[in-house]
Amino acid sequence: MLRKKLILTLTLCAAMPSALLQADSGLKEGTPDIKHAGPLAFAPHGVLLVGDTLSAAIYAIDTGDDKATAGEKTVNIEGINQKIAAMMGSEAADTVINDMAVNPLSGNLYLAVSRGRGPDAAPVIFKADAKGALTELSLKKVKFSKAAIANAPASQEGRRNPRMSAITDMQYKEGKVVVAGLSNEEFASKLRVLKYPFDGSGQATSVEMYHGAHGKVETASPVRTFTTYEDTVLAAYTCTPLVSIPVDELKDGAKTKGKTIAELGNMNQPLDMIVYKKGNQDYLLMANSARGVMKLKLSKGDIDATKAIDSRIESTAGLPFETLKDLKDVVQLDRLSDNQAVLLVNNAGRQDVRTIDLP
Amino acid sequence: MSKFTLLFCVLLSFQQAPLPAHQPDEKPEVLIQTKRIDGSSIQIELRESSNSATFSVKGIRSLEQLQKLPKDDLQKLATIRVQKSLNASLPPLLGTVSFIDSELRFTSRFPLSPSVVYRVELSPILTDNRDASPVLFTAQPRKSSPQTTVVSVFPSADVLPENVLKFYIHFSASMSRGEAYQRVHLMRGNTEVLTPFLELGEELWDAEQRRFTLFVHPGRIKKGLKPREESGAPMVDGNEYVLRIDGDWLDAQQKPLREPFVKKFRVAAADAVQPEPKSWKIVPPTANSRASVKVRFDEPLDHSLLNRVIRVLDASKSEVAGTVSVSENEKVWSFEPKEPWTRGQYTLVIASTLEDLAGNNLARPFETEEREDNVIGAIESELSILFYVSGP
């Protein structure tokens, strides 16, 4: 009898639709009022997180794309910006791909797009499968939830409130969504941590970030892009120190200080980065505006053992890195499978999606 | 049927009345153009609304047969493409095809783009198996609007500290995103200063894209940081500079500015000192008047923050409604109340995030010597300054 019960339970579990697995995710059916589709990230069960600077919110959207597909996939799409523009009845010059993220379950690629460059540009999310087929992710009657990251104070009656916090990057890590933001008024860099599933409080932990850059001088430079590795946030700043911050230190209202573990070169903007494993070694892959794609060996031990860079350095310092010469003009990257990455590459006025083997 | 049941039915039918086809903020469809396919009974009408466009194909002969087609085949009856995308064999427009009465309608997912030429390709089944050539439609051009100009640039003073941190560029209308850093130049004489600004892909605009925030590269301001070591400070004490804004920066209507804009300024010594509220002078108004309360600073402060981060509270700690203005090169903040002042105590509440031109705020200087006794208080704390309104 007991055995029968067990089998029945197991059968029920196997047949349990993903909707049930997500029962506690707080997603409700409706049409999210997204005003700008910026940074993208994936939460579990194929839930896409969309950062919206204009609404000062993060949306969690059930894509329904939650079927695991094992093995290698290859997504290669030439002129993806031109294709998307044509589908939207617009022109490539009037189409902006703001971010790209791979659904780690299905391996499908998601792109946050603006149709237009003015303040009323329409936000659109496209999906590309391994065959390169592009479809729009409809936002009508989808399961979603929303977390405000609002910091805009109530404006006085009739007064425009021009304050905004641009969302510069976003990552999901074990029940938390970490969001990097940059104000268009105060010079301050903030990391916010939201519990996921969003608890509806609309409250985000707000942390002011500093890093010891030289001697005893502190700086509040903005975080350009970041990723999570083990129990740390690895954040790349604008000029281009790589800084580690323990996730546990991201507490509400706290002032936390990161440790500069590498200086990756001047006159450069870090654009995007991922962490991956090859053999038994972890690596960080980072795309840059001026200094190509860099690869660093990572280990928690090295991060802990590396002496923080706190003295004047000649060019680059800290953890060693190599620049991958055959990867040029990469503006976005994400991990496609255990052995592959997918890149968005600027190529003479058009943008291409390319799959590479992880170096 | 009782009267009540009847009433209920009437109410019910009211509620089930079809909703208007468009949302309140959506403009109704407007007929743009009608085109006929030569030697055929077919004619195509283009209607545009603010959210989509409809191409209606009329005069179809074998209607009954076509209406029975499965959905996927229906979709193949009419294809719309951007004419320019034809050579690159790009995909057609997203949209849905359906029969409404005797018309075949393609409704586009997105509105048409101004002045773009669209090509309507109909299946030979519709055109009685004739090789009808595609029909071209041109979307309506943008409505003409006055040319956009740069209205002002802050800080407005002619002399700025060497470590000035940001500029705000205000425009007369909404601008286009994506080319800001190509359109703004820092010139010293005829020489352009290379990479003086922090270039952020997101571009820091306000929601209407009428104000652009331009940060000077902080790595080049801060002492001891690598960008500054390698390339030097972007601006040096004693020199004259010009912030040049190109006239070909496109506004949201994709039209260039009316003219270029230049802001000339001289650079003075760096400012590494936090604003000092003790040295501010408050000019209180008199009771029963709507005269402004003024605060005069001993240095210019950040224009946008001045407009936002100072509030006036009355004796009962309620916020006083009124209008803020900033004048005299951002050295004076004024507040005109909506209702006359009454005698008694008021409080100015100032967020510690208020910065001077070099990014030093009330809580911390831009560059901080790390010391244990220099721990910053609560982030976004506030400073309160009392003033008294006297008079009759």
Side-chain angles (χ1 to χ4, degrees):
Chain A
M1 181 65 194
L2 187 69
R3 200 173 153 200
K4 221 175 181 180
K5 218 172 180 179
L6 188 69
I7 291 171
L8 186 69
T9 315
L10 284 174
T11 319
L12 274 175
C13 278
M16 191 153 60
S18 64
L20 263 179
L21 289 169
Q22 289 180 24
D24 60 346
S25 64
L27 305 183
K28 293 201 175 96
E29 192 175 280
T31 301
D33 185 23
I34 297 180
K35 295 193 167 66
H36 173 80
L40 300 179
F42 268 93
H45 310 302
V47 171
L48 178 65
L49 303 170
V50 183
D52 179 354
T53 291
L54 284 174
S55 306
I58 309 290
Y59 289 88
I61 298 161
D62 182 6
T63 59
D65 181 14
D66 56 358
K67 306 280 179 299
T69 54
E72 309 231 318
K73 310 119 191 157
T74 309
V75 193
N76 286 309
I77 306 171
E78 282 186 2
I80 189 166
N81 59 332
Q82 298 167 336
K83 286 188 169 146
I84 286 173
M87 290 167 83
M88 299 193 300
S90 184
E91 291 174 329
D94 224 12
T95 302
V96 189
I97 299 177
N98 300 309
D99 200 8
M100 176 184 89
V102 173
N103 180 345
L105 280 178
S106 64
N108 290 326
L109 196 62
Y110 286 76
L111 300 130
V113 175
S114 294
R115 185 183 188 271
R117 292 180 180 273
D120 53 357
V124 191
I125 294 169
F126 276 89
K127 175 176 134 184
D129 66 17
K131 290 177 186 147
L134 282 163
T135 45
E136 186 197 356
L137 176 73
S138 173
L139 297 177
K140 277 184 189 152
K141 289 190 184 169
V142 288
K143 283 190 179 150
F144 79 101
S145 63
K146 175 185 177 182
I149 54 156
N151 55 3
S155 60
Q156 287 212 349
E157 201 186 331
R159 203 161 94 185
R160 283 194 309 129
N161 190 346
R163 182 195 195 185
M164 287 210 303
S165 189
I167 299 168
T168 53
D169 204 358
M170 185 171 64
Q171 290 281 325
Y172 173 84
K173 170 89 174 170
E174 291 162 8
K176 287 175 179 172
V177 180
V178 186
V179 185
L182 174 63
S183 163
N184 65 353
E185 292 187 351
E186 298 98 329
F187 186 73
S189 174
K190 282 203 176 141
L191 277 186
R192 292 181 176 80
V193 184
L194 296 100
K195 274 189 206 145
Y196 182 84
F198 299 141
D199 58 10
S201 69
Q203 283 300 310
T205 303
S206 169
V207 180
E208 199 162 359
M209 298 263 304
Y210 291 81
H211 65 272
H214 162 234
K216 292 178 190 292
V217 179
E218 288 185 344
T219 156
S221 223
V223 173
R224 281 303 290 128
T225 179
F226 70 93
T227 188
T228 51
Y229 175 64
E230 305 268 325
D231 56 353
T232 60
V233 167
L234 294 179
Y237 285 76
T238 50
C239 53
T240 317
L242 184 66
V243 173
S244 74
I245 306 129
V247 174
D248 287 350
E249 281 190 18
L250 302 176
K251 288 180 189 145
D252 203 5
K255 175 193 168 199
T256 188
K257 204 172 141 184
K259 173 174 159 187
T260 305
I261 55 169
E263 278 284 356
L264 305 173
N266 187 16
M267 294 304 148
N268 181 37
Q269 297 285 340
L271 298 174
D272 207 351
M273 57 194 199
I274 54 170
V275 168
Y276 64 94
K277 193 186 252 315
K278 196 168 185 179
N280 288 322
Q281 178 65 52
D282 293 330
Y283 292 96
L284 177 77
L285 198 65
M286 181 158 97
N288 296 281
S289 64
R291 290 181 175 254
V293 177
M294 294 169 178
K295 178 185 165 187
L296 274 89
K297 271 188 192 170
L298 273 186
S299 81
K300 189 70 183 58
D302 282 353
I303 290 174
D304 291 342
T306 299
K307 193 175 169 292
I309 299 169
D310 58 2
S311 58
R312 188 169 303 180
I313 48 167
E314 287 308 317
S315 57
T316 57
L319 294 180
F321 66 91
E322 60 174 307
T323 303
L324 305 173
K325 290 199 174 54
D326 47 348
L327 294 180
K328 290 203 167 62
D329 301 314
V330 176
V331 288
Q332 300 282 346
L333 57 93
D334 204 356
R335 216 174 70 170
L336 184 60
S337 68
D338 288 345
N339 305 312
Q340 296 165 299
V342 65
L343 316 173
L344 183 67
V345 183
N346 280 340
N347 179 9
R350 68 167 208 227
Q351 291 185 309
D352 297 343
V353 168
R354 282 184 209 155
T355 298
I356 57 160
D357 289 335
L358 281 165
Chain B
M1 194 185 275
S2 75
K3 275 182 187 173
F4 277 116
T5 321
L6 187 67
L7 183 65
F8 181 71
C9 288
V10 171
L11 279 175
L12 201 69
S13 63
F14 253 120
Q15 283 179 351
Q16 285 179 338
L19 292 164
H22 54 86
Q23 300 296 319
D25 59 338
E26 186 190 341
K27 289 189 189 110
E29 283 193 333
V30 178
L31 178 65
I32 305 301
Q33 229 178 345
T34 305
K35 292 203 171 178
R36 185 175 288 278
I37 295 183
D38 289 340
S40 148
S41 59
I42 301 271
Q43 70 176 38
I44 307 171
E45 281 179 8
L46 167 61
R47 286 185 165 78
E48 278 189 75
S49 75
S50 53
N51 284 353
S52 65
T54 308
F55 295 87
S56 306
V57 184
K58 294 181 170 178
I60 302 166
R61 289 214 173 107
S62 44
L63 203 59
E64 278 178 21
Q65 245 179 326
L66 294 171
Q67 282 169 333
K68 289 178 195 149
L69 285 175
K71 207 179 161 193
D72 283 355
D73 291 343
L74 205 61
Q75 197 72 23
K76 290 174 193 156
L77 292 178
T79 307
I80 321 290
R81 293 177 194 278
V82 174
Q83 169 74 0
K84 258 198 193 165
S85 75
L86 207 61
N87 297 337
S89 59
L90 294 172
L93 264 66
L94 295 174
T96 49
V97 178
S98 59
F99 272 105
I100 309 280
D101 302 329
S102 60
E103 287 178 27
L104 179 79
R105 284 192 195 167
F106 177 94
T107 306
S108 67
R109 163 67 181 85
F110 295 98
L112 302 184
S113 286
S115 306
V116 167
V117 180
Y118 295 88
R119 173 189 168 100
V120 182
E121 297 166 3
L122 297 181
S123 158
I125 309 171
L126 284 178
T127 52
D128 304 333
N129 284 325
R130 287 155 40 91
D131 280 334
S133 41
V135 184
L136 301 184
F137 286 90
T138 305
Q140 286 187 301
R142 288 176 206 275
K143 289 198 181 81
S144 70
S145 51
Q147 281 184 290
T148 305
T149 55
V150 174
V151 177
S152 48
V153 171
F154 295 101
S156 58
D158 300 333
V159 180
L160 303 178
E162 180 184 276
N163 56 346
V164 58
L165 179 62
K166 64 192 128 156
F167 294 92
Y168 295 106
I169 305 171
H170 291 250
F171 297 90
S172 62
S174 295
M175 294 294 289
S176 169
R177 195 178 272 273
E179 54 178 323
Y181 299 104
Q182 298 161 43
R183 303 297 179 210
V184 190
H185 311 272
L186 181 66
M187 308 294 297
R188 184 179 160 187
N190 290 325
T191 313
E192 182 164 3
V193 179
L194 293 177
T195 60
F197 304 118
L198 180 60
E199 299 187 11
L200 297 160
E202 293 81 5
E203 294 189 358
L204 299 175
W205 292 93
D206 66 350
E208 295 175 305
Q209 288 181 211
R210 288 178 62 169
R211 186 196 73 186
F212 179 63
T213 308
L214 180 67
F215 277 105
V216 178
H217 198 310
R220 291 187 64 182
I221 299 175
K222 290 182 177 177
K223 289 175 202 153
L225 281 192
K226 202 147 42 61
R228 166 121 172 194
E229 298 291 314
E230 286 182 8
S231 314
M235 288 167 263
V236 179
D237 182 8
N239 291 308
E240 309 260 338
Y241 292 87
V242 172
L243 182 74
R244 203 188 75 205
I245 298 163
D246 291 343
D248 44 7
W249 198 342
L250 297 178
D251 67 9
Q253 308 294 318
Q254 299 294 305
K255 287 195 307 191
L257 297 177
R258 190 169 69 201
E259 61 210 354
F261 185 92
V262 291
K263 175 185 170 57
K264 294 180 186 169
F265 58 97
R266 188 165 61 77
V267 161
D271 175 8
V273 183
Q274 288 173 256
E276 179 44 83
K278 281 180 190 151
S279 62
W280 296 351
K281 290 190 175 61
I282 297 177
V283 185
T286 49
N288 302 321
S289 80
R290 285 184 59 235
S292 296
V293 55
K294 290 186 182 208
V295 185
R296 185 173 289 276
F297 314 108
D298 58 346
E299 61 173 335
L301 298 180
D302 183 285
H303 179 263
S304 294
L305 290 169
L306 280 175
N307 271 292
R308 176 165 61 81
V309 302
I310 308 179
R311 292 175 296 143
V312 182
L313 305 186
D314 63 18
S316 62
K317 302 291 175 207
S318 304
E319 187 167 349
V320 180
T323 314
V324 170
S325 55
V326 174
S327 57
E328 298 186 36
N329 295 336
E330 300 84 74
K331 281 173 86 171
V332 173
W333 176 90
S334 315
F335 176 85
E336 185 191 12
K338 222 171 166 181
E339 304 294 332
W341 301 101
T342 51
R343 267 174 66 174
Q345 179 184 297
Y346 287 85
T347 313
L348 292 174
V349 180
I350 303 154
S352 64
T353 50
L354 179 59
E355 294 176 6
D356 63 20
L357 303 187
N360 304 301
N361 73 21
L362 303 188
R364 53 140 184 86
F366 184 64
E367 292 187 299
T368 315
E369 288 293 321
E370 188 191 3
R371 292 195 311 259
E372 284 308 309
D373 61 351
N374 196 20
V375 171
I376 294 159
I379 293 165
E380 303 204 359
S381 60
E382 291 179 326
L383 169 79
S384 294
I385 301 177
L386 300 179
F387 68 94
Y388 295 88
V389 172
S390 54

